[in-house]
Amino acid sequence: MENLTEKVAELGKRRGFFFQSSEAYGGVAGFQTFGPEGAELKRNIENSWRNTFSRSLGHREIEAPTIMHKPVFEASGHLDGFDDMIIECPECGTSSRADHLVEDNTDIDEAEAFSTEQIEGLIKEHDLVCPHCDNSLTNVDVDDFNLMFETNIGPGSETKGYLRPETAQGIFVEFPRLKQYARNKLPFGITQIGKAYRNEISPRKGLVRVREFTQAELEHFIDPEEDSPSLSRVEDVELVLYPVDNQGEGENSYVETSVRKAVEEGIVNKWVAYYLGIAKQWYVDIGVDMTRFRFRQHQPDERAHYASDCWDAEAQVDGAWIEIAGFAYRGCYDLTKHGKHSGNKRDFSVFKEYDEPETVEETTIDIDMSILGPEFGSNASKVAEKVKRKVELGPEIADEGAIFVHLDGEEYAVDSEAVEVKEEIVKKSGEEIVPHVVEPSFGVDRTVYTVLAHSYREDAINSEERTLLSLSSSVAPTEVAVFPLMDKEELSNRAREISERLRDYGFSVKYDDTGNIGKRYRRQDEVGTPICITVDYETFEEDPETVTVRERDSTEQERVRVEEIEEAVLSRL
Amino acid sequence: MENLTEKVAELGKRRGFFFQSSEAYGGVAGFQTFGPEGAELKRNIENSWRNTFSRSLGHREIEAPTIMHKPVFEASGHLDGFDDMIIECPECGTSSRADHLVEDNTDIDEAEAFSTEQIEGLIKEHDLVCPHCDNSLTNVDVDDFNLMFETNIGPGSETKGYLRPETAQGIFVEFPRLKQYARNKLPFGITQIGKAYRNEISPRKGLVRVREFTQAELEHFIDPEEDSPSLSRVEDVELVLYPVDNQGEGENSYVETSVRKAVEEGIVNKWVAYYLGIAKQWYVDIGVDMTRFRFRQHQPDERAHYASDCWDAEAQVDGAWIEIAGFAYRGCYDLTKHGKHSGNKRDFSVFKEYDEPETVEETTIDIDMSILGPEFGSNASKVAEKVKRKVELGPEIADEGAIFVHLDGEEYAVDSEAVEVKEEIVKKSGEEIVPHVVEPSFGVDRTVYTVLAHSYREDAINSEERTLLSLSSSVAPTEVAVFPLMDKEELSNRAREISERLRDYGFSVKYDDTGNIGKRYRRQDEVGTPICITVDYETFEEDPETVTVRERDSTEQERVRVEEIEEAVLSRL
């Protein structure tokens, strides 16, 4: 189907799935509003994700703020490295993404991994021009542009805050408490569904590249030496894989294999493979078309700095592949960084008990409280703790005259005499380890978009053209619509009764009595309602009473007894 | 109970309900993270709100972005008027909320409505000092501080964006589309549950005054002349009201009456009363203690600029009253403003058909397309539309030589000759009206906090002290916890089977096999789990098998047959 993108956008607007926000004010690129149908579809997809990736796996969900202050993003690396390359036209002032400019105007497919210097070279080599005014961009500098939205917290500008570019950091920074709730035992998983923000240089229309979006992320904290995924759960799930080695050979060189074989043959890391298997099943359930779907491995230079292996779930719409999820083995990168930057290494590790206590040589640090006590009074033990941590990080500072530490904004100088560093033979019952992290990360908006695009159909019923969304009943905004044939009291009373009964049974139900019955069927077809029930005059002619039950995809109609209506709906969903 | 605030905060941290976010980095005041238990409780409260205020009432929910651009907030009045009064100490630089300074140090209870000059006068009169360094603040200026978080959208700083200070504006700006989805018929209601942000000058600890929070808002668009609420639905609901006139007489002068009588006696606007009735029932259901709850009417000078009547739901914690919801009759304020500022009045009104067509004198504007056509080509009809709208707003401009309009950034000059303004007698079938808005608006974080505080209990079981949350089962994070008495295979297999069965039945279930059984009961008591089930050795001695079912509040234990476990749980929730 050509122009599926435009068709979905048009239907999205007309039926209330999604549309450019604040249109009355001209809107701003990159911000979309989910209308009533879209918000319901999105929520159903989120709840389904929650059941699959959080509840069923025994993981727990948290909700951290979307604004965090500067030190968090200094630690995570986002402040320094979360950039896109920007080029500003000196003639008209239009800013463009420099790597996209190269991709759109040369044979190069993936320019994101190049350096700014390389991109400048390519712009010169191909004599590229501004897409807005055609002015030459040769000799114009390519700069790094940080993608985080910045703001000031509180009065004044001292406290910089950033809108999180991924929900993940909200989980990592809270690790010290989260491990307590897990009773300091690995493995455990924490999920979060929430907003994330990226100040894209050139957002696209629709839901694919937006500046505000929803992520559903799972951070699974594991002991890489001890823990293994329950592969048996998904071992036979078939995957369509597009590994790095095959990517040179074009799109027909997919590897189709089971989760078990993908692991055995060393194509995919076992943890990543486990989640690919769970994700594949989930995508099938919510209605992603598996003939337009693949898992693609990242090229080494395309991988984020932290990931040792990374695969994307990709869906095809109008011939283009859209990344809809990423599965990364992040190793110990994040927790190590936060341990270092926060100065609280222990908070970001977990104590792992040995099977048998071991005898090891260890550095111990003794602080003489008879010196600190009189000098620092009630703060002495806190100062001692700070000194201990500082010396742990670099024992050599104990050789200097004094050690300086900060506590509640005050500086304290501690005489080195009070600090003794010793090498001792000790019996250890275990050690602190930094957990590794496996991260399945889903873009919810793009998933919503894929589900809409993949369920979009056009057909003809009695030579009348029809548009429908063949949505999976597990995510459709409405499961059953109930109509009275006409807006007459007898009919509408019974139709309302049936609505109520079905609602009480747990179905999502819509009641509609406006317009002729054909129009009402079309309306429900276009918002993807699997089943329509009509109360008509025949209803009362029969004993027991019957109604017409119509299926969306086939448009087949059947008369069903009102007393059996719940079962009739259930069996058709 | 004294220090309930501290006790709830301590339990919140220890058990994973809520805590200061990014603590490892010192945190920033006003940002809290919901841990696993708190996030679940919050989600249950949100879902319960959704069922009560959206689904059951036939309203629809949308999801608009949290960032919107400047014109939206110019129209809404937030850019100009959404301020708190700030005073900065010239000595230490600490910023304080000037009205709170007055409230905390004088007999004045409500200083928010005063002008900056009045507050400066009061600071002088009472010789107030900086709460941080005791420096005198007499003669220091009190300024307005805008509470919106500001950011830049896209590269450069031309496009200012703001984090929305209320979810409501996201609904109002989308009215042009939302009315289409409602088929241009009043009344209809739109809800939204989402983040909102206020850059508080001095946030408090905990969940009561935070900078990032969740709102659940309903905008009910009505025709004030035709529509009435279904009062019969809630007419007998008893309310504790604290009307303006009684507020001088202290807290014992509440009016306790039914919704019906409150309307009949003119105490509350009928639309507001309707929603107070629904809210009261909801608060009871989620576990707010009605002996620490009231509806308080706003004083005229305390009401927002748009509201003609406004009541707050207030809950008492540690003797202080916390606003947890507001019920405002906003009239046509918002839609009128957006119609004016966007230049698209018609988009923010609804066509109301008369019962009978009426004959009226009307101004009509004719545009001569034989002039515009040749001059503006394919843009002619768009230009004509713009001219028409401009002349509608001020017909006098048609007397000048030319009319200037803008389209896609270009200016077009239209000869006045092409525009004819006529007074005509016409038959009208209806007219455009601006709907009025009734707005129940809930603070979700404060509701979570109230539910926690009001369900907090301490007692002694066999002279052992116990803390528990007596949470309503409609919102408790876990409904049933299932334990094996010991971590032995026989016991834990059966316990896991029972967990699965209960989960399949639809209960939220936790399985726990860590620690002794007493500790496990205490843990579940502290997170508010109503029912615990234990599989012990007796289970297998009986035929059919039985388990111990324990109730949280009474701690009573009973043996129940495994085959009847679903019914046993259901009857106890």
Side-chain angles (χ1 to χ4, degrees):
Chain A
M1 192 181 299
E2 270 176 70
N3 278 323
L4 183 53
T5 310
E6 281 167 34
K7 286 174 175 177
V8 171
E10 189 277 328
L11 183 69
K13 242 188 255 188
R14 187 159 47 83
R15 287 296 176 206
F17 283 97
F18 66 96
F19 47 83
Q20 165 76 56
S21 75
S22 312
E23 266 180 317
Y25 292 96
V28 189
F31 295 95
Q32 297 276 324
T33 293
F34 289 96
E37 301 295 342
E40 195 96 40
L41 172 62
K42 178 167 181 273
R43 208 157 44 239
N44 289 346
I45 288 175
E46 286 171 2
N47 283 332
S48 170
W49 189 92
R50 175 173 289 127
N51 281 330
T52 306
F53 290 90
S54 199
R55 291 206 184 115
S56 303
L57 302 180
H59 301 326
R60 305 289 317 260
E61 186 174 343
I62 69 162
E63 186 184 324
T66 56
I67 299 179
M68 295 196 282
H69 64 323
K70 202 168 174 176
V72 172
F73 298 110
E74 281 171 345
S76 71
H78 285 94
L79 208 58
D80 263 352
F82 194 62
D83 303 317
D84 273 348
M85 283 178 274
I86 192 171
I87 187 162
E88 192 184 329
C89 173
E91 193 61 27
C92 72
T94 300
S95 296
S96 308
R97 244 187 94 163
D99 52 334
H100 285 184
L101 204 67
V102 168
E103 288 170 10
D104 294 347
N105 297 286
T106 70
D107 291 340
I108 297 162
D109 274 344
E110 294 279 350
E112 201 179 336
F114 292 160
S115 69
T116 51
E117 290 73 28
Q118 284 175 304
I119 296 286
E120 283 171 0
L122 286 163
I123 289 174
K124 206 171 278 183
E125 187 185 324
H126 292 89
D127 202 11
L128 301 185
V129 298
C130 170
H132 187 246
C133 75
D134 283 345
N135 182 59
S136 167
L137 293 177
T138 321
N139 297 321
V140 177
D141 286 349
V142 171
D143 289 319
D144 283 327
F145 175 72
N146 194 289
L147 294 182
M148 287 197 292
F149 284 99
E150 185 185 303
T151 193
N152 293 317
I153 302 174
S157 55
E158 301 116 69
T159 310
K160 288 269 171 247
Y162 298 88
L163 290 170
R164 64 183 179 197
E166 54 175 18
T167 60
Q169 295 306 323
I171 297 176
F172 296 137
V173 294
E174 307 303 1
F175 187 80
R177 284 211 183 280
L178 297 173
K179 71 169 175 179
Q180 282 174 32
Y181 306 141
R183 296 174 212 159
N184 298 303
K185 288 260 181 301
L186 293 175
F188 68 92
I190 301 288
T191 62
Q192 191 171 200
I193 301 178
K195 288 286 178 95
Y197 302 80
R198 292 183 191 179
N199 200 3
E200 297 285 350
I201 296 165
S202 5
R204 295 198 192 142
K205 278 189 181 165
L207 294 174
V208 174
R209 178 168 290 125
V210 284
R211 286 169 164 155
E212 175 174 342
F213 51 99
T214 300
Q215 284 188 317
E217 296 196 302
L218 159 61
E219 309 301 327
H220 199 161
F221 298 101
I222 59 163
D223 177 342
E225 287 178 8
E226 305 285 340
D227 299 328
S228 271
S230 321
L231 271 183
S232 60
R233 193 178 186 129
V234 288
E235 58 184 348
D236 295 325
V237 175
E238 289 291 322
L239 305 175
V240 174
L241 299 171
Y242 194 30
V244 163
D245 292 342
N246 298 40
Q247 288 175 28
E249 296 155 37
E251 299 202 350
N252 294 321
S253 58
Y254 296 150
V255 177
E256 303 190 25
T257 188
S258 69
V259 169
R260 191 184 54 244
K261 282 190 192 142
V263 174
E264 281 171 6
E265 290 167 19
I267 306 173
V268 190
N269 165 299
K270 65 182 175 184
W271 281 101
V272 171
Y274 171 67
Y275 281 113
L276 296 189
I278 291 176
K280 152 80 187 281
Q281 291 175 309
W282 182 65
Y283 282 126
V284 169
D285 180 58
I286 63 169
V288 172
D289 175 9
M290 285 299 124
T291 67
R292 289 177 272 176
F293 180 86
R294 69 184 184 193
F295 290 111
R296 187 180 69 81
Q297 190 175 27
H298 277 204
Q299 297 282 347
D301 59 3
E302 181 193 355
R303 279 202 301 258
H305 45 287
Y306 47 74
S308 66
D309 192 13
C310 188
W311 291 73
D312 283 345
E314 295 187 328
Q316 201 182 39
V317 176
D318 272 338
W321 288 97
I322 303 165
E323 173 196 343
I324 57 174
F327 302 80
Y329 190 89
R330 292 177 83 126
C332 63
Y333 177 84
D334 304 278
L335 296 183
T336 305
K337 278 275 194 181
H338 284 297
K340 218 171 187 172
H341 279 255
S342 68
N344 297 303
K345 249 173 91 177
R346 282 265 160 96
D347 285 350
F348 291 89
S349 62
V350 168
F351 187 77
K352 179 179 172 182
E353 223 164 303
Y354 297 140
D355 295 337
E356 296 285 325
E358 287 179 13
T359 309
V360 291
E361 199 184 68
E362 209 184 54
T363 308
T364 59
I365 299 153
D366 280 340
I367 312 276
D368 188 344
M369 294 308 285
S370 72
I371 299 177
L372 269 65
E375 203 168 341
F376 304 120
S378 62
N379 286 328
S381 62
K382 280 186 187 168
V383 170
E385 189 53 35
K386 287 261 175 184
V387 168
K388 215 166 172 178
R389 284 194 184 167
K390 201 157 182 188
V391 175
E392 267 173 10
L393 291 171
E396 63 282 0
I397 63 163
D399 299 336
E400 292 162 28
I403 297 159
F404 297 91
V405 293
H406 292 84
L407 187 68
D408 298 331
E410 301 274 313
E411 190 176 67
Y412 294 81
V414 176
D415 195 328
S416 302
E417 292 287 301
V419 182
E420 192 183 0
V421 182
K422 286 185 294 193
E423 298 293 326
E424 282 184 324
I425 303 292
V426 290
K427 228 178 194 167
K428 278 180 69 179
S429 59
E431 65 185 322
E432 293 287 331
I433 63 160
V434 181
H436 281 205
V437 176
V438 190
E439 179 194 77
S441 164
F442 292 71
V444 176
D445 312 71
R446 289 180 175 193
T447 307
V448 169
Y449 180 67
T450 302
V451 166
L452 284 172
H454 284 192
S455 65
Y456 186 94
R457 309 264 184 284
E458 290 173 351
D459 62 11
I461 302 299
N462 303 330
S463 74
E464 199 193 327
E465 283 184 11
R466 172 176 84 134
T467 302
L468 71 152
L469 289 180
S470 185
L471 290 175
S472 155
S473 60
S474 69
V475 297
T478 304
E479 289 173 300
V480 204
V482 183
F483 312 143
L485 182 66
M486 326 258 281
D487 189 11
K488 297 254 166 80
E489 210 181 329
E490 191 189 12
L491 300 174
S492 56
N493 280 349
R494 184 67 85 253
R496 279 187 198 280
E497 269 171 42
I498 293 173
S499 305
E500 281 310 313
R501 261 179 57 190
L502 292 170
R503 206 168 276 138
D504 288 345
Y505 194 81
F507 296 117
S508 67
V509 182
K510 202 137 295 157
Y511 175 87
D512 187 1
D513 57 13
T514 320
N516 73 53
I517 196 80
K519 266 198 179 165
R520 279 182 266 169
Y521 283 142
R522 294 297 171 275
R523 208 182 279 147
Q524 295 304 328
D525 288 345
E526 290 197 341
V527 299
T529 306
I531 293 169
C532 292
I533 294 173
T534 303
V535 175
D536 48 27
Y537 292 109
E538 242 181 283
T539 298
F540 303 104
E541 286 164 11
E542 291 175 289
D543 185 22
E545 292 181 358
T546 61
V547 287
T548 302
V549 173
R550 173 188 180 269
E551 282 185 311
R552 176 194 60 206
D553 293 356
S554 65
T555 75
E556 264 167 32
Q557 305 195 0
E558 234 180 301
R559 290 209 73 85
V560 167
R561 288 184 179 185
V562 172
E563 57 190 27
E564 290 159 4
I565 196 70
E566 289 90 348
E567 295 74 20
V569 171
L570 206 58
S571 68
R572 283 168 174 80
L573 284 178
Chain B
M1 192 183 298
E2 268 176 74
N3 278 323
L4 183 53
T5 311
E6 282 167 33
K7 287 174 175 177
V8 171
E10 189 278 327
L11 183 68
K13 241 187 256 188
R14 186 159 45 86
R15 286 297 177 205
F17 284 96
F18 67 96
F19 47 85
Q20 166 76 55
S21 75
S22 310
E23 266 179 318
Y25 292 96
V28 190
F31 296 94
Q32 296 276 325
T33 292
F34 289 96
E37 301 295 342
E40 195 96 39
L41 172 63
K42 177 168 183 274
R43 211 158 41 241
N44 290 345
I45 288 176
E46 286 171 1
N47 283 332
S48 170
W49 189 93
R50 175 173 289 128
N51 281 330
T52 306
F53 289 90
S54 198
R55 290 206 184 115
S56 302
L57 302 179
H59 301 325
R60 306 287 320 259
E61 185 174 344
I62 68 162
E63 187 184 323
T66 57
I67 300 179
M68 295 196 282
H69 64 324
K70 203 169 176 177
V72 172
F73 298 111
E74 281 171 344
S76 71
H78 285 95
L79 207 58
D80 263 353
F82 194 62
D83 302 318
D84 273 348
M85 284 178 274
I86 191 171
I87 187 164
E88 193 184 328
C89 173
E91 194 61 28
C92 73
T94 300
S95 296
S96 308
R97 242 186 97 165
D99 52 334
H100 286 184
L101 203 66
V102 168
E103 289 170 8
D104 294 348
N105 296 289
T106 70
D107 291 340
I108 297 163
D109 272 344
E110 293 279 350
E112 201 179 339
F114 292 161
S115 70
T116 50
E117 291 74 27
Q118 285 175 304
I119 296 287
E120 283 172 359
L122 286 164
I123 289 174
K124 206 171 280 182
E125 188 186 324
H126 293 91
D127 202 11
L128 301 184
V129 299
C130 170
H132 187 247
C133 76
D134 283 344
N135 180 60
S136 168
L137 293 177
T138 321
N139 297 321
V140 177
D141 285 349
V142 171
D143 289 317
D144 283 327
F145 175 72
N146 194 289
L147 294 182
M148 287 197 294
F149 284 100
E150 185 185 302
T151 191
N152 293 316
I153 302 174
S157 55
E158 301 115 69
T159 310
K160 289 267 171 248
Y162 298 88
L163 291 170
R164 63 181 179 199
E166 54 175 17
T167 59
Q169 295 305 324
I171 298 176
F172 295 138
V173 295
E174 308 303 0
F175 187 81
R177 285 209 182 281
L178 298 172
K179 72 170 175 178
Q180 283 174 32
Y181 305 141
R183 295 175 215 159
N184 297 301
K185 290 259 180 298
L186 293 176
F188 68 90
I190 301 289
T191 62
Q192 190 170 200
I193 301 178
K195 288 285 179 96
Y197 302 81
R198 293 183 191 178
N199 200 3
E200 298 284 351
I201 296 165
S202 3
R204 294 198 192 138
K205 278 190 180 162
L207 294 175
V208 174
R209 177 167 290 125
V210 285
R211 286 169 164 155
E212 175 174 342
F213 52 98
T214 300
Q215 284 188 316
E217 296 196 302
L218 159 60
E219 310 300 326
H220 198 163
F221 298 101
I222 59 163
D223 177 344
E225 287 177 7
E226 305 284 340
D227 299 329
S228 271
S230 322
L231 271 183
S232 60
R233 192 176 187 132
V234 288
E235 56 185 351
D236 295 327
V237 175
E238 289 291 321
L239 306 175
V240 174
L241 299 171
Y242 195 29
V244 162
D245 292 342
N246 300 39
Q247 288 175 29
E249 295 156 37
E251 300 201 350
N252 294 322
S253 58
Y254 296 148
V255 177
E256 302 191 25
T257 188
S258 69
V259 168
R260 190 184 54 244
K261 283 191 191 142
V263 173
E264 281 170 5
E265 291 169 19
I267 305 173
V268 190
N269 165 299
K270 64 182 175 185
W271 281 101
V272 172
Y274 172 68
Y275 280 113
L276 296 190
I278 291 176
K280 151 80 187 280
Q281 291 176 308
W282 182 64
Y283 282 127
V284 169
D285 180 58
I286 63 170
V288 172
D289 175 8
M290 285 299 125
T291 67
R292 289 177 273 176
F293 180 84
R294 70 184 183 193
F295 289 111
R296 188 180 68 82
Q297 190 175 26
H298 278 204
Q299 296 283 346
D301 60 2
E302 182 192 352
R303 280 202 299 259
H305 44 289
Y306 48 74
S308 65
D309 193 12
C310 190
W311 291 73
D312 282 346
E314 295 187 328
Q316 200 182 39
V317 176
D318 272 337
W321 289 98
I322 303 165
E323 173 196 344
I324 57 174
F327 302 80
Y329 190 89
R330 291 177 82 127
C332 62
Y333 177 84
D334 304 279
L335 296 183
T336 305
K337 278 277 196 179
H338 284 297
K340 219 170 184 173
H341 279 255
S342 68
N344 298 303
K345 251 173 89 178
R346 282 266 161 95
D347 285 350
F348 290 90
S349 62
V350 168
F351 187 76
K352 179 182 172 182
E353 223 165 304
Y354 296 141
D355 294 338
E356 295 286 325
E358 286 179 17
T359 309
V360 289
E361 200 184 68
E362 210 185 53
T363 306
T364 60
I365 299 153
D366 279 342
I367 311 275
D368 188 345
M369 294 308 286
S370 72
I371 299 177
L372 269 67
E375 205 169 339
F376 304 122
S378 62
N379 286 327
S381 61
K382 279 187 187 167
V383 170
E385 189 52 36
K386 287 259 175 185
V387 168
K388 218 167 169 177
R389 283 192 184 167
K390 201 159 182 185
V391 176
E392 269 174 6
L393 291 171
E396 63 284 359
I397 62 161
D399 301 336
E400 292 162 26
I403 297 158
F404 298 92
V405 295
H406 292 85
L407 187 69
D408 299 331
E410 301 276 312
E411 190 177 64
Y412 294 81
V414 177
D415 195 328
S416 301
E417 292 288 303
V419 181
E420 191 183 0
V421 181
K422 286 185 294 192
E423 298 294 325
E424 282 182 324
I425 302 291
V426 290
K427 229 178 192 169
K428 279 180 68 179
S429 60
E431 66 184 323
E432 292 287 330
I433 64 160
V434 181
H436 281 205
V437 176
V438 189
E439 179 193 79
S441 164
F442 292 71
V444 175
D445 312 70
R446 289 180 175 192
T447 307
V448 169
Y449 180 67
T450 302
V451 165
L452 285 171
H454 284 193
S455 65
Y456 186 95
R457 310 263 183 284
E458 290 173 350
D459 61 12
I461 302 298
N462 303 329
S463 74
E464 200 194 326
E465 283 184 12
R466 172 177 86 133
T467 302
L468 71 152
L469 289 180
S470 185
L471 289 175
S472 155
S473 60
S474 68
V475 297
T478 304
E479 290 173 299
V480 204
V482 183
F483 313 143
L485 181 66
M486 325 259 281
D487 189 13
K488 295 255 166 79
E489 208 180 331
E490 192 187 13
L491 299 174
S492 55
N493 281 350
R494 185 66 86 252
R496 279 186 199 281
E497 269 171 43
I498 293 173
S499 304
E500 282 310 314
R501 261 179 58 190
L502 291 170
R503 206 168 275 139
D504 288 345
Y505 195 81
F507 297 116
S508 67
V509 182
K510 202 139 295 159
Y511 175 87
D512 186 2
D513 58 12
T514 320
N516 73 53
I517 196 78
K519 266 198 179 165
R520 278 182 267 168
Y521 283 142
R522 294 295 172 276
R523 207 183 280 148
Q524 295 303 328
D525 288 344
E526 290 197 340
V527 299
T529 306
I531 294 169
C532 292
I533 295 173
T534 304
V535 175
D536 48 28
Y537 292 110
E538 242 181 284
T539 298
F540 305 102
E541 284 164 14
E542 291 174 285
D543 187 21
E545 292 181 358
T546 62
V547 287
T548 303
V549 173
R550 173 189 180 269
E551 282 185 310
R552 176 194 61 206
D553 294 356
S554 66
T555 74
E556 265 167 31
Q557 305 196 0
E558 236 181 299
R559 290 208 75 84
V560 166
R561 287 184 179 184
V562 172
E563 57 192 25
E564 290 159 4
I565 196 70
E566 289 90 348
E567 295 75 20
V569 171
L570 206 57
S571 68
R572 283 166 174 81
L573 285 179

